[in-house]
Amino acid sequence: MPSRCCARQALIQRLDELVRQAQVDGAMRSDVGTGDLMELLNVFACHPGVIPERFLPFMLDGLDRRWPCRRSR
């Protein structure tokens, strides 16, 4: 049985592959990285009830390359 650390690393590696492929395919924004996605997943996995589940679709839509972020500078 793999250690927790090895399992975490394998998950991050696979997620990184998925993020990069989605970006290459033009389905995901190029300014979002694996670390950003890990933080987003952390909110829902480690803090259930803090952010209502109904917000998850809004957050995922924000990853779509067709909806570029307009950050204030």
Side-chain angles (χ1 to χ4, degrees), residues 27-66:
M28 187 172 180
R29 293 169 39 167
S30 61
D31 64 337
V32 175
T34 303
D36 299 316
L37 215 45
M38 291 295 294
E39 290 294 327
L40 180 61
L41 292 171
N42 180 53
V43 170
F44 283 94
C46 298
H47 307 287
V50 172
I51 298 178
E53 283 187 34
R54 69 183 195 90
F55 290 146
L56 181 59
F58 302 136
M59 296 171 89
L60 293 177
D61 284 347
L63 299 173
D64 191 317
R65 64 141 182 97
R66 295 172 293 181

Side-chain angles (χ1 to χ4, degrees), residues 7-20:
R8 183 177 189 278
Q9 282 302 109
L11 173 66
I12 291 171
Q13 181 178 354
R14 181 62 182 134
L15 183 60
D16 190 56
E17 292 168 2
L18 291 170
V19 166
R20 290 175 189 268

